[in-house]
Amino acid sequence: MRFRRAPLLIVLSLALCACSRQGSADRTPASSPASAAAPALNGAAKASSAAHDKSESAQPSTLTRLNEDGSETVEETTGDSGAHNPLLAAVASTVAAATSAASAAALPGSTAWQEGVNYTRLVPAQPTAVAPGQVEVLEFFWYACPHCYALEPLVESWNRSKATYITFTPVPVLWNEGHRSLARLFYTLQSLGKLNQFHDEVFKEIQVNGNPLIGGDPNNVAAAERMQLAFAKKLGIAEADFEKAYHSFEVEKSLQRADELVQRYRVTAVPTFVVNGKYIADMATAGGPERVLSEVSDLAALEHKH
């Protein structure tokens, strides 16, 4: 898990964290156009952000990194000590002026979201799997990601009130066997028609109760299955029904489809949203959990007009 680089005036909070496939400093794919937008802002934005962190709270932030062996390392980072640097006012002024000038690159009819700053445009756009007139919104997530868990109540509320032309689909990532085991549990519950009922329960079992549902060795799929079966039985699901769905062709096809989507969109951190195969957004670039869902709605509305 790690912070993704935020382009402008980052607020150090849980909302701007992401769980990542690797502990690298930058998760933007090499072919992504995100880093090409507003290059003149980069240095000024980073300087202004560091000073803002220190002057606002003077408290360290934490980064949790996922190691290759599945363990986690928590690191503390402190803010910029130059909060009273006389150049900060000039830097802030430069950033503000550049941001104002960049508003022309925002979505048509809005200055809230800027391409390359708040979202990445995919070129070429990817095919979707929704009915005509519908706009596809995918959320890539992982049950063991604390940031996905923190965002989930907002996602559920947004899903209930979203525009009728939006088709929302959560997609679990499958980066390794541990991720795949939890993804299999997700699709097993879906196959049984129990996902809406128990989706939150899986999150809570991992995030609150401390039961990883994959065993001590993420590569031990048999141990993961035993733990998940025991959990399912606690939820009132019959063992035979669970086992039949767990190894069903339907679940295997769903896993294959999810893996294809993760590869297609080069998802390396969660939570990540993809709107209609064309736009990629997350909490860091949007500026927070509420803002990313607002941005997703605006991008979807733009697509619906076309």
Side-chain angles (χ1 to χ4, degrees):
M1 291 170 284
R2 60 177 174 77
F3 284 95
R4 179 180 176 178
R5 182 181 59 207
L8 195 59
L9 300 179
I10 184 171
V11 179
L12 292 178
S13 68
L14 176 64
L16 298 185
C17 296
C19 297
S20 64
R21 180 176 185 173
Q22 299 176 349
S24 58
D26 186 353
R27 72 174 180 83
T28 305
S31 61
S32 170
S35 60
L41 295 180
N42 291 346
K46 291 177 181 177
S48 176
S49 173
H52 176 78
D53 296 340
K54 181 67 173 180
S55 61
E56 286 293 315
S57 63
Q59 295 181 355
S61 62
T62 61
L63 290 81
T64 307
R65 301 187 182 278
L66 184 66
N67 302 317
E68 292 297 330
D69 61 359
S71 63
E72 295 180 350
T73 301
V74 179
E75 304 172 1
E76 281 198 352
T77 60
T78 57
D80 194 312
S81 60
H84 302 291
N85 191 319
L87 294 179
L88 288 182
V91 171
S93 177
T94 300
V95 172
T99 302
S100 177
S103 63
L107 289 174
S110 171
T111 58
W113 316 117
Q114 298 172 32
E115 181 178 341
V117 176
N118 302 118
Y119 66 92
T120 299
R121 181 189 293 267
L122 291 173
V123 180
Q126 298 299 302
T128 60
V130 294
Q134 287 288 293
V135 176
E136 181 184 73
V137 172
L138 305 177
E139 183 207 6
F140 291 91
F141 80 99
W142 174 35
Y143 275 130
C145 169
H147 319 299
C148 299
Y149 174 61
L151 182 64
E152 185 60 24
L154 293 177
V155 171
E156 290 181 356
S157 177
W158 170 85
N159 190 29
R160 288 192 296 268
S161 61
K162 69 183 186 307
T164 56
Y165 55 77
I166 294 176
T167 298
F168 174 65
T169 305
V171 181
V173 292
L174 299 91
W175 294 327
N176 58 36
E177 286 301 328
H179 295 97
R180 180 175 290 274
S181 291
L182 292 179
R184 183 179 290 277
L185 175 60
F186 173 86
Y187 286 118
T188 296
L189 292 175
Q190 185 179 79
S191 175
L192 291 169
K194 303 287 187 180
L195 184 60
N196 290 339
Q197 184 178 358
F198 296 130
H199 185 55
D200 287 346
E201 294 301 319
V202 180
F203 265 122
K204 291 176 183 177
E205 184 71 9
I206 296 172
Q207 303 289 341
V208 179
N209 299 336
N211 179 4
L213 294 175
I214 59 172
D217 180 2
N219 294 316
N220 190 337
V221 294
E225 181 177 349
R226 288 193 297 270
M227 293 184 71
Q228 292 173 18
L229 172 59
F231 170 68
K233 290 169 71 173
K234 285 198 308 181
L235 298 177
I237 300 174
E239 179 175 347
D241 293 340
F242 181 84
E243 289 290 0
K244 181 179 179 181
Y246 200 79
H247 297 285
S248 68
F249 177 75
E250 178 184 351
V251 168
E252 292 296 339
K253 289 294 291 183
S254 295
L255 288 169
Q256 181 181 351
R257 171 65 175 168
D259 203 14
E260 290 172 353
L261 290 171
V262 169
Q263 297 297 325
R264 177 187 300 173
Y265 294 114
R266 302 185 183 182
V267 178
T268 58
V270 290
T272 292
F273 293 86
V274 178
V275 180
N276 223 33
K278 188 180 295 185
Y279 308 109
I280 298 181
D282 58 32
M283 291 190 293
T285 55
E290 293 87 357
R291 283 178 58 84
V292 72
L293 293 171
S294 178
E295 179 182 29
V296 165
S297 292
D298 288 348
L299 290 167
L302 177 67
E303 284 296 288
H304 184 60
K305 292 177 182 178
H306 292 166

